[in-house]
């Protein structure tokens, strides 16, 4: 009795041999390289994936960069003289030209290898920048595969079809024109590192935004391309669309990285009550002869900083560690400015009160952020007032003698 279909032994399937990881990496490389090329585009350029090539740039002047990507995940060399990848790429370009999919006169044929690899034939094609040199490079490369008699040398089945087509006498002109427009690019570092460094440099990003926006824009490109495929449209992204999205997300994250004033402004009554409370930070301003308007401004800054600081801490926008570090930074800046002004005063001959007021104005006009978070303009001045209220800093050169307990000195508010 013959075997039923159920009884037929099945060939064992080994997932490791399906090459799915290679295919996934190849597509992710195309997405990442599309982002890489968008960094170098201008206003009306369009970057495509799997339309004219792995990645292509259609420029506003009508020229095209057709980019074939070769990933290198091991010790293989995709541009060695007999590498299948090299000759398959050249064969496909030849087909695109003969089928009028690419115009050989306005196309640059770029082979981008994601590692530092070399090949003498590929290098000779790269150096052939005139048609005469390109034809000579074609003849020289042909000797790798053909004897002087025209007889084929031993060819591997892997690339025999590509070699025979590329070196057909009737294809000599098109092949030479492709060689003339051939560009080989290899990289010393890994592709992702190159992309990230280029992205941060070209977009002129702050260090703390680099990782966030890099990841976002990669995801945006991937999503955009997937939507185009689902809608049966070519996978094309214009530079204008890319730039618009980058500007929008950068603005959004910049706003997220700024601490916003959340508390209501102090009322006139609250300001007057603070003035009447004989607070030490106001006394500190008084001894350096700040006027009434300056004191009112200082009270507003102090109260606004105090209430917003509390709200931000409760919301988790800032931590106790952030605040401690921030206060330490302010004290260091105050001390540095105090010492600099002391040296300058050897030539200025300012009175102690004038020197103290100058120090106060220097500090309050120099905003200091909390780590990577931008703070409102009142916050730095308000925090300086909090430090001066605790006499951790002071404006008058002799503030310690005036305000420290046991000094025996008193201040008459003006």
């Amino acid at each position: 009795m013959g075997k039923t279909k159920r009884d037929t032994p099945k060939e064992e399937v080994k997932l490791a041999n399906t090459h799915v990881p290679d295919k996934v990496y190849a597509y992710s490389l195309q997405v990442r390289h599309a982002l890489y090329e968008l960094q170098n585009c201008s206003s009306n350029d369009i970057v495509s994936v799997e339309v004219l090539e792995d990645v292509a740039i259609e420029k506003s002047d009508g020229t095209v960069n057709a980019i074939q990507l070769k990933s290198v995940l091991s010790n293989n060399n995709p541009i060695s003289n007999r590498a299948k990848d090299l000759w398959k790429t050249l064969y496909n370009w030849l087909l695109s030209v003969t089928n009028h999919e690419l115009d050989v006169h306005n196309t640059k044929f770029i082979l981008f290898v994601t590692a530092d690899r070399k090949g003498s034939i590929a290098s000779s094609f790269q150096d052939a920048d005139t048609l005469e040199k390109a034809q000579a490079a074609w003849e020289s490369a042909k000797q790798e595969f053909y004897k002087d008699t025209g007889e084929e040398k031993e060819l591997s089945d892997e690339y025999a079809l590509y070699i025979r087509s590329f070196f057909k006498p009737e294809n000599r002109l098109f092949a030479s024109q492709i060689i003339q427009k051939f560009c080989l690019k290899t990289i010393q570092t890994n592709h992702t590192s190159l992309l990230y460094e280029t992205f941060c440099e070209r977009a002129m990003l702050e260090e703390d935004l680099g990782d966030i926006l890099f990841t976002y824009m990669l995801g945006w490109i991937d999503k955009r391309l997937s939507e185009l495929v689902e809608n049966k449209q070519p996978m094309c992204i214009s530079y204008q669309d890319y730039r618009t999205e980058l500007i929008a997300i950068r603005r959004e994250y910049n706003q997220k990285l700024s601490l916003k004033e959340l508390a209501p402004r102090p009322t006139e009554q609250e300001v007057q009550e603070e003035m009447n409370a004989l607070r030490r930070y106001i006394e500190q301003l008084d001894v350096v002869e700040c006027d009434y308007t300056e004191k009112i401004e200082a009270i507003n800054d102090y109260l606004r900083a105090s209430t917003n600081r509390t709200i931000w801490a409760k919301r988790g926008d800032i931590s106790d560690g952030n605040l401690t570090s921030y206060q330490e930074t302010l004290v260091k800046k105050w001390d540095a400015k105090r010492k600099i002004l002391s040296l300058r005063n050897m030539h200025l001959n300012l009175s102690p009160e004038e020197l103290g007021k100058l120090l106060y104005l220097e500090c309050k006009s120099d905003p200091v952020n909390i780590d990577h978070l931008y703070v409102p303009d009142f916050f730095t001045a308000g925090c300086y007032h909090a430090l001066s209220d605790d006499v951790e800093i002071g404006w008058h050169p002799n503030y310690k003698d005036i305000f420290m307990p046991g000094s025996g000195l008193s201040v008459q508010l003006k």
Side-chain angles (χ1 to χ4, degrees):
M1 186 175 179
K3 289 184 178 180
T4 65
K5 193 169 185 180
R6 180 183 296 276
D7 296 326
T8 303
K10 295 181 179 179
E11 182 179 349
E12 182 181 1
V13 176
K14 295 183 180 179
L15 292 178
N17 293 330
T18 62
H19 301 293
V20 171
D22 288 347
K23 293 176 181 178
V24 172
Y25 180 79
Y27 172 71
S28 69
L29 178 61
Q30 290 174 333
V31 171
R32 284 180 281 126
H33 199 76
L35 177 57
Y36 176 79
E37 294 298 338
L38 281 164
Q39 311 310 308
N40 302 306
C41 287
S42 54
S43 56
N44 295 316
D45 294 352
I46 295 174
V47 173
S48 62
V49 173
E50 291 288 0
V51 177
L52 299 173
E53 244 300 359
D54 282 346
V55 176
I57 304 117
E58 296 174 75
K59 296 184 173 293
S60 55
D61 62 3
T63 60
V64 173
N65 286 355
I67 305 166
Q68 172 69 202
L69 299 169
K70 294 301 176 188
S71 61
V72 180
L73 300 177
S74 60
N75 292 325
N76 68 306
N77 183 1
I79 56 170
S80 63
N81 287 354
R82 287 179 174 254
K84 172 187 172 182
D85 285 337
L86 173 64
W87 295 107
K88 183 178 181 181
T89 298
L90 292 165
Y91 169 79
N92 285 336
W93 283 339
L94 183 62
L95 286 180
S96 295
V97 169
T98 55
N99 292 332
H100 306 291
E101 295 169 0
L102 291 172
D103 184 342
V104 73
H105 299 292
N106 65 7
T107 301
K108 180 183 286 187
F109 300 90
I110 301 172
L111 182 56
F112 193 108
V113 183
T114 64
D116 185 17
R117 296 290 186 269
K118 293 179 174 59
S120 59
I121 289 178
S123 295
S124 70
F125 288 1
Q126 161 80 5
D127 294 337
D129 55 359
T130 66
L131 183 58
E132 183 180 5
K133 290 179 181 178
Q135 289 172 331
W138 183 85
E139 294 286 355
S140 177
K142 186 177 180 180
Q143 295 174 11
E144 173 77 22
F145 307 100
Y146 292 87
K147 299 175 183 178
D148 292 340
T149 59
E151 181 185 355
E152 277 186 8
K153 296 180 181 179
E154 184 177 349
L155 298 179
S156 166
D157 290 340
E158 274 194 329
Y159 55 76
L161 169 66
Y162 312 137
I163 295 298
R164 289 167 186 153
S165 179
F166 196 76
F167 290 107
K168 271 185 180 178
E170 58 265 37
N171 289 335
R172 181 175 182 268
L173 178 59
F174 277 151
S176 298
Q177 289 173 324
I178 290 170
I179 292 170
Q180 181 186 355
K181 295 295 200 68
F182 175 79
C183 177
L184 175 65
K185 293 187 177 181
T186 61
I187 57 177
Q188 302 289 332
T189 183
N190 70 69
H191 188 269
T192 303
S193 297
L194 173 68
L195 170 57
Y196 177 75
E197 291 169 5
T198 304
F199 176 76
C200 292
E201 179 182 345
R202 295 295 171 86
M204 294 184 290
L205 294 175
E206 301 87 343
E207 185 176 349
D208 53 293
L209 281 180
D211 286 342
I212 297 171
L213 297 194
F214 176 71
T215 302
Y216 176 87
M217 292 309 297
L218 271 179
W220 177 80
I221 290 174
D222 186 28
K223 181 174 180 288
R224 187 72 176 271
L225 295 177
S226 297
E227 290 171 345
L228 290 168
V229 171
E230 291 167 1
N231 293 318
K232 296 180 172 54
Q233 295 178 327
M235 291 191 286
C236 300
I237 296 176
S238 71
Y239 174 72
Q240 287 287 13
D241 286 348
Y242 164 79
R243 184 173 180 272
T244 298
E245 186 67 21
L246 178 59
I247 290 172
I249 193 63
R250 181 173 180 170
R251 182 180 295 118
E252 178 181 332
Y253 272 98
N254 272 329
Q255 290 172 350
K256 287 180 180 179
L257 293 172
S258 298
L259 290 168
K260 304 294 188 299
E261 183 173 13
L262 301 176
R265 298 287 184 94
T267 64
E268 289 186 16
Q269 182 180 346
E270 288 172 332
V271 171
Q272 192 57 52
E273 287 174 354
E274 186 76 3
M275 176 71 85
N276 297 335
L278 304 179
R279 299 294 297 268
R280 187 58 54 87
Y281 73 93
I282 302 173
E283 293 179 337
Q284 289 243 37
L285 296 176
D286 198 64
V287 297
V288 293
E289 300 181 347
C290 287
D291 59 29
Y292 178 81
T293 301
E294 290 170 317
K295 293 173 192 174
I296 293 297
E297 181 185 4
I299 291 171
N300 274 280
D301 289 344
Y302 174 82
L303 293 176
R304 291 167 72 187
S306 177
T307 52
N308 281 283
R309 187 167 57 237
T310 301
I311 293 173
W312 294 336
K314 285 182 178 179
R315 282 164 46 95
D317 295 332
I318 55 176
S319 66
D320 290 342
N322 289 141
L323 290 174
T324 299
S325 176
Y326 188 68
Q327 290 175 340
E328 291 171 352
T329 299
L330 292 183
V331 171
K332 288 178 182 177
K333 284 184 172 291
W334 163 82
D335 190 49
K337 290 178 184 295
R338 181 175 63 87
K339 291 174 179 176
I340 291 170
L341 288 176
S342 179
L343 291 173
R344 288 180 180 170
N345 198 41
M346 293 179 179
H347 306 287
L348 297 174
N349 295 319
L350 299 175
S351 69
E353 291 74 22
E354 290 172 329
L355 188 61
K357 188 168 184 178
L358 182 58
L359 174 59
Y360 166 63
L361 295 174
E362 287 269 1
C363 288
K364 77 182 291 289
S365 62
D366 182 16
V368 180
N369 295 321
I370 300 178
D371 296 332
H372 60 285
L373 298 171
Y374 295 97
V375 300
D377 55 5
F378 64 81
F379 188 74
T380 298
C383 289
Y384 271 124
H385 292 310
L387 290 169
S388 70
D389 199 55
D390 293 334
V391 201
E392 292 188 41
I393 65 169
W395 311 121
H396 194 283
N398 302 320
Y399 77 97
K400 288 185 178 180
D401 294 333
I402 299 172
F403 294 108
M404 294 298 284
S407 66
L409 300 176
S410 62
V411 178
Q412 182 68 40
L413 284 180
K414 298 176 183 176

